[in-house]
Amino acid sequence: MIEPAERRAGERAEGRPLFRLSGAGRVWVFNGLLAGMASWLYLSFVVPLEPLAAPVSFPWWALALAFTFTELFVVHLPLRREAHSFSLSDITLVLGLFFVDPADLILAQLVGAGVALAIRRQSPMKLTFNLAHFCLEACVAVVVFHAIAGGDPIGPQGLLAAFLATLTTTLLGALAVTAAISLAEGRFQHQTMSTGLGFGAVVTATDTCLALIAAEIIWWDASVAWLLLVPAVLLFSAYRLYTSQRQNHRTVEALYEATRHLQRSLRVESTMGTLLEEARRMFRGEIAEVLLFPDVTGEKAVRTTLGPGDTPVSAEILLDPTEGVWARVASEGAGVILPRPLPPSRLRTHLRARGIRDAMVAPLLTQGGVVGTLMVANRLGDVSTFEEEDLRLLETLANHASVALENARLVGRLEDSLQHLTEMNRLKDDFVATVSHELRTPLTNIQGSIKTLLRLPLDEADRRALLEAADRGGERLRHLIEDLLMASRIEAREVRPVVAPVSLDEVVLAVALEFEDRAGGRLAVEGEEIPVIETDEGKVTQILSNLVDNALKHSEPGSDVRVRLFREGRGIGIRVESSGTPIPPEQQDRIFERFVQVDQSSTRTVEGAGLGLYICRMLAEALGGRVWLDRSDDTGTVFGIFIPMTPPERAVRDRNEISLPAASEPRRR
């Protein structure tokens, strides 16, 4: 046994890491690094700074309220699959640089942003990250502003210092967000940084201009500062309007792309994967799921889920009307939105157990009604959840998806029909080839015997030999016709067992007597005494006769064929054992199919149309039992039969039941 110290030494020797951090673990380490840098800047550079000699001084709590307000009312901008938010907090920060003590500014940022983020119910990891990088940005802004502003804070040098301070915080924020996302996902997200930094710089420059105008007015005449509320509100509304129009454009474009991709998918599997990918992308969801209802009540539904990973997972489930919202969506035929935070209920317990925080569910509608549901869950980002507009768009996507899924199903049915027709054509060709071969041989014998009798004067012995040959040919034709008729009845579902009390001991003895002359003493019957059971005697006899006939035809001359009878569970088992050439492994799974023979050549010596084993299997299933190939190797071939003691429900009882003969009086057939 390797001790922990030795194991660690071995791992170091092999060059393997002693531990591996998950994405969340790496982000927590990064949060600690940000918090440490912010603390160092605060204690080393911010605390020693003196406030500006401004004519007006804001209390820290008022600035904290302003930070809370601006962080609550943010502009939500989706960038790829991440959610970025922009606010008017730069205005509050610039005003704090001019009219609040530097240390109090950091305190106001920490308290105000903390209250807003707590109200938005961010996760502990994201709350810690945002507070850490907000404080770090504020510390950097204070240090940059005081280093450049000098003794003229309200002059050109001070205005430049404010611009550089806010732009520096924007760059620092973009770097921090990109680093956090990259650490969480394990790869560098360069596009997230470039897109977020570009839009953030424009917003920051605009906010800073408005904040500097406000600072000038407050510095010289604070009584008219209220006039700045109008441009501030207009600026915030402009941000909202821009992002709304941008999102509408992206929505239309995404719906077009999703519909185009769905229409290209002609198989259910590819259509499902495309639908889930497009749904996640359109609604910035972590999870997308399609639930297809079963066609028959009581069967299982099929649920295909994509997310949190990138590989779809399908599973069959039993639907419970008390869990989830599928029953409500199916009954009403309308979508349901479950915004965050979910109210306390059994539904929230069920969704949380599946890792779902918020979700939208829309019905998949066809001409036959609701056939399933489409769900998108876990909106990415903490500043927004699913809204009614999202639900309407999801319902539109679901309508397009329903058409695509229905088309894919129709294509699948056509392919199945084509495959079935191809199989039927193959069976027809096999039937024609097999039957023509099986008919030609006995007909040739019959015709040859009759023509010989008609043309040549023969003695009694020769005449009898020819008549017996013709009789054997006619008997072979009769068996072939009976097999074809039985196969036809089986295909038409016309075979129903007619049950009565049956002694399988007597059935086995009767079959043995039937083949006694042909077997020449090679057929042996073994086994224990079997009680009388309820089954169809004729069908059991035909099954056993076919297997014994098959064993005699394919076994080596002089070898024994054994029929063993025994009890097995709630039924009776019969084994037919023979020696001879084993069935090839590639043929063993097909020998119970129609017109399948081990020797498919036209010169085969063993007669038969390849229907015997097929009829055995179907008749056994009609009796509630089964027939199977137990083994076939160099030691011999063994077929097994199982006949239940009780008949199947669809069986018909024989109204003309007669008493069975005694076991000592076997019947000859």
Side-chain angles (χ1 to χ4, degrees), residues 277-330:
E277 291 176 1
E278 294 297 331
R280 281 209 313 178
R281 182 179 62 84
M282 286 179 62
F283 300 100
R284 303 184 309 281
E286 183 184 30
I287 299 172
E289 176 183 287
V290 170
L291 179 65
L292 295 180
F293 299 153
D295 296 330
V296 180
T297 304
E299 293 186 353
K300 292 184 177 181
V302 178
R303 181 172 68 192
T304 306
T305 305
L306 178 62
D310 295 326
T311 302
V313 178
S314 295
E316 292 185 347
I317 61 171
L318 285 175
L319 294 179
D320 185 352
T322 63
E323 293 187 348
V325 295
W326 66 266
R328 174 181 170 185
V329 173

Side-chain angles (χ1 to χ4, degrees), residues 394-573:
L394 180 65
E395 289 178 330
T396 303
L397 177 63
N399 291 335
H400 289 285
S402 301
V403 175
L405 285 174
E406 189 66 19
N407 291 339
R409 283 185 170 183
L410 290 175
V411 170
R413 291 172 184 171
L414 289 175
E415 290 179 346
D416 292 341
S417 299
L418 179 60
Q419 184 177 359
H420 178 71
L421 290 175
T422 303
E423 179 66 16
M424 289 299 100
N425 286 332
R426 185 188 67 81
L427 289 176
K428 181 193 70 175
D429 295 339
D430 291 345
F431 169 77
V432 171
T434 301
V435 172
S436 61
H437 177 272
E438 292 302 316
L439 287 175
R440 184 184 303 113
T441 302
L443 280 177
T444 301
N445 292 336
I446 294 173
Q447 287 180 331
S449 299
I450 293 175
K451 289 180 179 179
T452 302
L453 288 170
L454 291 174
R455 294 177 181 176
L456 300 176
L458 302 172
D459 56 24
E460 185 62 26
D462 291 336
R463 289 173 59 85
R464 182 175 182 81
L466 290 174
L467 289 174
E468 288 177 351
D471 180 65
R472 287 194 299 271
E475 189 68 15
R476 182 174 173 182
L477 287 177
R478 183 181 66 82
H479 282 302
L480 176 60
I481 293 172
E482 287 179 351
D483 286 347
L484 292 173
L485 291 175
M486 177 59 70
S488 176
R489 291 179 57 198
I490 290 173
E491 289 297 314
R493 302 292 191 271
E494 295 179 359
V495 176
R496 297 179 64 187
V498 180
V499 302
V502 177
S503 172
L504 290 184
D505 291 323
E506 296 186 3
V507 172
V508 172
L509 289 174
V511 172
L513 290 173
E514 178 184 358
F515 288 94
E516 184 177 14
D517 294 338
R518 178 180 165 191
R522 295 193 296 139
L523 181 59
V525 177
E526 303 174 357
E528 57 188 282
E529 185 177 351
I530 300 299
V532 174
I533 66 172
E534 296 266 336
T535 189
D536 188 321
E537 181 179 357
K539 292 179 174 55
V540 174
T541 301
Q542 186 169 0
I543 294 171
L544 189 57
S545 297
N546 284 357
L547 290 179
V548 171
D549 178 62
N550 194 65
L552 290 172
K553 286 192 299 185
H554 292 87
S555 61
E556 297 179 355
S559 62
D560 292 337
V561 174
R562 282 184 168 79
V563 179
R564 301 180 185 272
L565 199 62
F566 55 93
R567 298 189 186 188
E568 182 177 345
R570 297 184 178 181
I572 306 301

Side-chain angles (χ1 to χ4, degrees), residues 19-264:
F19 59 89
R20 293 183 177 88
L21 287 177
S22 63
R26 293 191 293 267
V27 174
W28 276 113
V29 172
F30 183 62
N31 291 346
L33 179 62
L34 292 178
M37 293 177 61
S39 301
W40 175 72
L41 284 176
Y42 176 78
L43 295 175
S44 301
F45 297 96
V46 176
V47 172
L49 292 175
E50 295 293 333
L52 298 180
V56 179
S57 179
F58 294 165
W60 74 269
W61 55 266
L63 196 67
L65 288 176
F67 275 121
T68 301
F69 180 83
T70 55
E71 287 298 331
L72 283 176
F73 297 95
V74 298
V75 178
H76 186 59
L77 180 66
L79 299 175
R80 302 184 69 188
R81 294 189 63 223
E82 291 298 328
H84 294 259
S85 57
F86 302 93
S87 67
L88 301 180
S89 59
D90 289 325
I91 297 177
T92 307
L93 176 63
V94 171
L95 294 178
L97 293 175
F98 282 93
F99 303 108
V100 178
D101 181 89
D104 289 344
L105 172 59
I106 307 303
L107 177 62
Q109 172 78 291
L110 180 64
V111 174
V115 171
L117 297 177
I119 293 175
R120 281 159 49 180
R121 298 189 179 184
Q122 285 194 339
S123 64
M125 182 178 67
K126 289 188 176 182
L127 176 63
T128 304
F129 166 73
N130 284 325
L131 289 179
H133 90 79
F134 282 164
C135 290
L136 178 61
E137 291 170 11
C139 290
V140 170
V142 168
V143 172
V144 171
F145 177 76
H146 281 265
I148 298 176
D152 186 20
I154 205 66
Q157 189 173 350
L159 301 182
L160 177 61
F163 262 110
L164 293 178
T166 54
L167 290 176
T168 302
T169 60
T170 299
L171 176 60
L172 187 61
L175 290 173
V177 171
T178 303
I181 296 174
S182 301
L183 289 172
E185 297 189 359
R187 57 182 183 274
F188 181 58
Q189 300 292 337
H190 60 89
Q191 188 168 353
T192 299
M193 177 178 175
S194 59
T195 308
L197 183 60
F199 188 82
V202 174
V203 172
T204 298
T206 306
D207 290 348
T208 303
C209 288
L210 182 60
L212 290 177
I213 294 173
E216 290 281 351
I217 293 175
I218 295 173
W219 192 284
W220 300 112
D221 189 358
S223 62
V224 295
W226 61 271
L227 293 174
L228 294 172
L229 291 176
V230 175
V233 171
L234 291 177
L235 180 62
F236 180 76
S237 300
Y239 288 160
R240 283 291 181 93
L241 181 61
Y242 167 76
T243 55
S244 176
Q245 293 298 325
R246 186 173 185 269
Q247 181 61 23
N248 289 338
H249 173 74
R250 289 173 61 90
T251 296
V252 174
E253 185 181 39
L255 183 60
Y256 167 75
E257 289 295 326
T259 303
R260 186 166 63 89
H261 290 158
L262 285 173
Q263 296 303 326
R264 289 180 175 178

